[in-house]
Amino acid sequence: MPQKRSQIADDKEENIPAGKRIKTEDKQQESVTWQWEDDGHVWTDFSTDIAKKIQEAFEGKMKKTKIEINDIKFDIIFERMVQRNAKTFWERKMRVVTSENDDGGVSGNYEYEEKKGSWKKYNDGVQRLIHASIAFEFEKVPFIHQRINYTLDLKTLVETNEKKKSKRKIRNNLTIKEEENGEKDIKEEVESEEDGEKDENENTTKTTGGSSRSTATAKKEKTKVKVKTEQKENNSEGDEKTVKSIAFKGKAPVDSECPNKDKYHVYFEGTDIYDAMLKSNEFEK
């Protein structure tokens, strides 16, 4: 339901300075639509002529202006973003939208720091005013709250109490959340890359380990190798190297003179390797 303003509050509103009606230069900016809230929370466009008059006053940094619709006079009060019936003082909300999906700041997320570390959201009227100011690229946003004049600096993100000259921080909580979500996405992406590298390293280690084990097994199971025997001395032609082919199973080679050396192996227990001398009739004394 529309709200009624008292005559006392109305008398405190500043009159429109005559010299304030300055026509601003045309600027290239996105298309904007001025709307007022009808019964049932239905937003309705102002007529083209009325919207033009409202926009010229807003761009001229005026605090309010007057319009007339169907012989009914209204005050447009920008500091609270309302349309007020000049006779009955009933008020309806106003907003500026720049696209079909734009809600005109109704769901705005601007907050002020009430005390250190504690943030409080601005009321609906201030949110709509901030949204309109951003649409027109204004850096300073004047508004009234509980009959106190404030100015928001959207560039430095500071609110100034014009009576006490005190200042406090402001912020757009939606931007903060988006930044946090962005940082979270980056962190998750980095962690995902690190996990991928870790998995890749583990797979490489497993592959390498498996290859090593396979190689060791192959060496263990190998039955035939070539070894170099001691060099034989040759006084006339110099040193000569001879290579013999011998076979072994297990941990020691089988005697090369054994006719069935490929069928036998040297007995061993753990690290102990056994040897024997058989069918020998002469011993060196």
Side-chain angles (χ1 to χ4, degrees):
M1 288 292 294
Q3 297 177 351
K4 189 172 182 178
R5 288 271 294 176
S6 66
Q7 184 66 46
I8 297 176
D10 180 51
D11 291 338
K12 287 184 175 290
E13 297 288 351
E14 294 186 29
N15 294 325
I16 306 173
K20 281 283 186 177
R21 294 186 178 277
I22 302 173
K23 205 169 186 178
T24 58
E25 296 180 1
D26 293 335
K27 297 180 181 179
Q28 288 185 350
Q29 63 183 63
E30 58 186 337
S31 176
V32 299
T33 302
W34 287 88
Q35 298 178 329
W36 58 278
E37 188 182 37
D38 202 347
D39 295 339
H41 305 291
V42 177
W43 290 93
T44 306
D45 294 354
F46 283 100
S47 67
T48 304
D49 292 341
I50 298 297
K52 183 179 179 181
K53 186 174 181 179
I54 293 172
Q55 183 162 317
E56 286 178 353
F58 188 71
E59 288 181 312
K61 306 294 180 67
M62 296 169 62
K63 293 183 178 181
K64 67 178 183 178
T65 188
K66 294 182 181 293
I67 62 172
E68 187 172 326
I69 303 175
N70 297 329
D71 298 326
I72 301 174
K73 295 180 180 180
F74 297 91
D75 292 320
I76 303 297
I77 305 171
F78 296 115
E79 291 175 318
R80 293 188 293 108
M81 286 296 284
V82 295
Q83 164 194 287
R84 186 178 66 196
N85 187 306
K87 184 176 181 180
T88 63
F89 304 109
W90 288 107
E91 295 182 346
R92 294 182 184 272
K93 297 177 181 179
M94 292 170 45
R95 71 177 184 180
V96 169
V97 295
T98 57
S99 66
E100 185 178 350
N101 297 324
D102 186 4
D103 69 358
V106 173
S107 61
N109 287 275
Y110 274 88
E111 302 174 330
Y112 61 90
E113 192 174 29
E114 192 172 25
K115 54 185 179 180
K116 191 171 183 180
S118 177
W119 295 85
K120 189 173 182 179
K121 192 173 180 179
Y122 282 107
N123 64 40
D124 176 66
V126 177
Q127 301 288 354
R128 287 180 282 111
L129 177 57
I130 292 173
H131 185 83
S133 299
I134 292 173
F136 286 93
E137 300 180 353
F138 291 169
E139 291 183 3
K140 302 290 181 69
V141 183
F143 71 96
I144 296 177
H145 178 63
Q146 295 180 350
R147 300 184 183 179
I148 299 175
N149 293 310
Y150 294 90
T151 301
L152 301 181
D153 191 322
L154 298 179
K155 186 175 182 180
T156 61
L157 294 178
V158 173
E159 175 202 88
T160 302
N161 182 318
E162 298 298 344
K163 183 178 180 180
K164 297 180 179 179
K165 297 301 178 184
S166 58
K167 299 179 183 294
R168 55 188 177 187
K169 297 178 183 178
I170 66 173
R171 72 178 185 180
N172 185 350
N173 194 34
L174 180 61
T175 303
I176 301 295
K177 290 179 180 178
E178 288 175 348
E179 290 176 352
E180 289 175 350
N181 290 336
E183 291 174 358
K184 183 179 179 182
D185 292 340
I186 293 173
K187 184 178 179 181
E188 289 177 351
E189 184 177 347
V190 171
E191 289 177 350
S192 176
E193 290 177 356
E194 290 176 349
D195 291 341
E197 291 176 359
K198 184 178 179 182
D199 293 340
E200 186 177 346
N201 291 337
E202 288 179 354
N203 291 336
T204 303
T205 303
K206 288 178 181 178
T207 303
T208 306
S211 176
S212 299
R213 289 193 295 273
S214 177
T215 304
T217 303
K219 285 182 178 179
K220 235 177 192 181
E221 293 173 353
K222 193 170 183 181
T223 59
K224 291 185 179 181
V225 294
K226 287 186 178 181
V227 296
K228 292 183 179 180
T229 61
E230 295 181 354
Q231 295 178 353
K232 292 183 179 179
E233 293 184 357
N234 191 319
N235 295 330
S236 61
E237 296 181 6
D239 296 340
E240 211 176 72
K241 296 180 182 179
T242 303
V243 178
K244 283 186 178 181
S245 178
I246 65 174
F248 73 86
K249 295 181 179 179
K251 294 186 177 182
V254 179
D255 193 325
S256 60
E257 300 299 327
C258 179
N260 296 317
K261 56 183 179 292
D262 292 332
K263 297 181 180 180
Y264 302 102
H265 68 273
V266 176
Y267 182 75
F268 66 91
E269 289 181 357
T271 57
D272 297 327
I273 302 174
Y274 291 79
D275 63 344
M277 188 177 293
L278 303 175
K279 295 184 180 180
S280 181
N281 297 326
E282 295 182 1
F283 294 90
E284 187 179 345
K285 294 183 179 179

